[in-house]
Amino acid sequence: MIKVMGFCNLHGNRSLGPLTDARPLGSTSFLGRYALMDFTLSNFSNSGIDKVGILVENRFRSITKHLGSTNVFNMNTKLGFQQILINEKTIGNPIYHHDLNNLRHNDWILLEHKPDVIVIAPSHILYVMDFKQVIDEHLKNKSDITLLYTHIRDGKKHFLDGEEVAIHDGFVSKMQPNQGMKDDLDVSMDTYIFSRQGLQHIFDKAKGLSATFGLKEVLKHLIHHDPKLVYAHAHTGYVRSFFDLGLYYDFSMEMLNYDLRKSVFLEDWPIYTVTNNTPPARYGPNAVVQNSMIANGAKIYGTVKNSIISRNVIIEEGARVENSIVFTNTHIGNDVHVSKAVIDKYCHIHHVKKLEGKDLPLYIRQGDHL
Amino acid sequence: MIKYKSIEVFILEKEFVAMLLAGGKGTRLEILTKKLAKPAVYFGGKYRIIDFPLSNCAHSGIDTVGVLTQYESTVLNTYIGNGEKWGLNGIHSLTATLPPRQTEDSNVWYRGTADAIYQNLDFLDALKPSYVLILSGDHIYRMNYQIMLDAHKKAAADLTVAVLNVEQKDVSRFGIMTVDDEHIIQKFEEKPKKSVSTLASMGVYIFSYKSLRQSLVNDAKKLDSDHDFGKDIIPAMLANKKKLLAYPFHGYWRDVGTIESFWEANMDLIDNPEAQSLFHSDDLKLFSEDTRSLPQFVGEDAVVHDTLINQGAVILGTVKHSIIFHDVIVEKGAVVDHCVLMPGSHIKSGAKLHRVVVASQVETNQMVSGEDSIVLLGKSS
């Protein structure tokens, strides 16, 4: 049997501005219930991969808080694990602090589990994928490296930090930064399948190239010299790359659309997450709720429209929340009007009666009393 | 070490253990218990009845629980598992499901609540408890059993019975007792037609194990016994001059034995402030299973008032004063009022439900009013 290990890659962390000051994107809240990395980890679990390393760059607090010592992603709670991998050697030295060095310095996990196939997937790109099929194809091709890519039609604003790829004869023949000059293009999903030798090859080559090159830079360089090295696998369907607060807001709000939601949350593809044992949401006698997602434990006495309300949020009577995202345990007081805002956890909004974002959503920091 | 004659299993000895009686059918809940033991019946939008006593155990610092199952035990046993849902799977914990078993000497069903415990005396002996808490899997309430144990110890009682005051008209449904100034039980009547006292047993007992063991062994020898705690064990202990203490309970408690009382207790969660404390308390979280559902979605034209809704539900129609479980769909054009919609039920456009309990996975487009008495919609109807 082929032994597969997955790595959830949190390196090359995107910043959503103040939203990600104290947490990596991977553990940032999504749709009132999930962390973004839940999608990556659930893709692994549902694909039968439950030996998983999590390559963390920094801001560990939020990751350990989310994952703790839970078994939610494991099929077998003894055989499966989500090992948080931190690279102590390079943490104080940013130019060396990349995913490849994290993997190399934590190679004990590869030596211990001896995987035949290694899947590396990012936490900032959301998609739903059965890796079994890709791995089968990878094995059939006798490939050492397979890269997953997708076609986008909004390249002027999407994947702006991503890599455009050129595909030739089923191989990735070129990889270069998306310049944002055109809408239609193929982009890398920063997701790779390696054979054990394939990954070793990367380690070996990286040494001679540059100690500061991460996985993506090394691959780019190798592809440039050998356009038949990396197999390409096309993925179609929902793919979103989280890059800034505006996109985070857009990608959240679009989930209020039923058809899109159905295409991501499939019946046979559950998205696992940590449970908090919160009671059902409570709607008061004068509550008005329209076109919104509400998480358990919320208490809604006021008006909520086109919004995403997280666990244990209280919306008081007379409060009005529109086109907004409200994070866990936040309290929106009487007569407060919130519009196009992202309000972080544990906030109390009482004195300021109007919060309104314009082109960009207004962001309120965790724990603020306004 | 637990010893079943030829087999030994390692377990930890405990001073205080719980035995939860969960084998009953709950006949008056009709189709809700057709394929399901009553403790596994859904309650309150997210829970099953048995979540209440098990969460209580967890919050009372009890980590060793035997669950006696019999009627339709498969779903219940599977649900209980290793106790993980209530955190009762820690390194010092033991959650054991105890259905009737064949032994060298016998091969019988549990013939009564007392017999169920009697048939598991070997299990209890191995735990070497000083005190045994006997619970029922039928009731909705929150309670700290440790405080009750303190009272039991202080009084040096053989048995402590949790009690609450019921209305005069309800005495015939309960074990009713008379107590002296120090709450020592003087008289106990099982389901009397009439009674001056309105002090009723909640079916929550703490026994000193020696007294429990002796009483059960004596009772097992009696051919005319129903092997029931209320009918047989407690009267016999009183007759034998044992010290029986009544422990008054204050707070919300319901026996959800009928469709009417089941519906009422669910409605209480919406507008009875005492019932709201059942799970809106940070320190006493009610534990249950997580269904991995998406957060609930409320649609553009939906109207939702005075309602509890669990994750995974999709509300596109009108819902008032109702309890909505996970993964329920209420279509646009459907109206639901004073209802309990169980998991996965699907209320289609055109349906109009008033005072109805809809069983899980049921689809309906009917107009049904339970104005006179609550209507239960099952799969066949």
Side-chain angles (χ1 to χ4, degrees), chain B residues 1 31 55 65 67 158 177 217-218 272 281 284 305 311 322 335 341 373:
Chain B
M1 198 71 84
I31 51 150
S55 297
V65 182
V67 186
D158 292 291
M177 58 213 90
V217 170
N218 290 343
N272 178 337
S281 159
L284 281 179
H305 292 158
Q311 59 195 22
S322 294
V335 179
L341 309 184
S373 69

Side-chain angles (χ1 to χ4, degrees), chain A residues 52-70:
Chain A
V52 174
I54 296 165
L55 300 166
V56 185
E57 184 176 9
N58 49 31
R59 289 166 287 186
F60 313 111
R61 177 202 58 82
S62 178
I63 296 290
T64 48
K65 178 170 174 272
H66 183 63
L67 291 177
S69 57
T70 66

Side-chain angles (χ1 to χ4, degrees), chain A residues 147 172-175 218-230:
Chain A
L147 177 147
V172 182
S173 60
K174 202 174 176 190
M175 190 159 133
V218 173
L219 272 175
K220 199 182 289 181
H221 187 87
L222 294 181
I223 288 167
H224 184 70
H225 290 280
D226 182 358
K228 299 241 171 200
L229 177 71
V230 178

Side-chain angles (χ1 to χ4, degrees), chain A residues 12-27:
Chain A
N13 240 308
R14 276 70 186 165
S15 164
L16 302 186
L19 184 59
T20 49
D21 270 354
R23 56 174 85 95
L25 239 169
S27 58

Side-chain angles (χ1 to χ4, degrees), chain B residues 97-111:
Chain B
T97 42
L98 303 167
R101 64 190 132 110
Q102 198 174 33
T103 69
E104 240 171 23
D105 319 311
S106 77
N107 171 15
V108 288
W109 296 105
Y110 293 150
R111 289 162 295 191

Side-chain angles (χ1 to χ4, degrees), chain A residues 307-320:
Chain A
S307 293
I308 294 166
I309 306 294
S310 312
R311 186 161 48 82
N312 292 343
V313 165
I314 299 174
I315 312 282
E316 279 188 27
E317 197 158 323
R320 193 177 172 87

Side-chain angles (χ1 to χ4, degrees), chain A residues 238-272:
Chain A
Y238 176 88
V239 180
R240 298 289 185 273
S241 177
F242 287 70
F243 175 57
D244 59 27
L245 188 63
L247 285 179
Y248 169 82
Y249 176 84
D250 292 346
F251 296 160
S252 299
M253 286 300 157
E254 68 179 357
M255 277 293 176
L256 294 174
N257 179 289
Y258 177 84
D259 293 327
L260 182 69
R261 211 160 62 237
K262 276 285 153 194
S263 73
V264 178
F265 293 89
L266 308 169
E267 294 250 314
D268 58 351
W269 205 262
I271 305 300
Y272 310 102

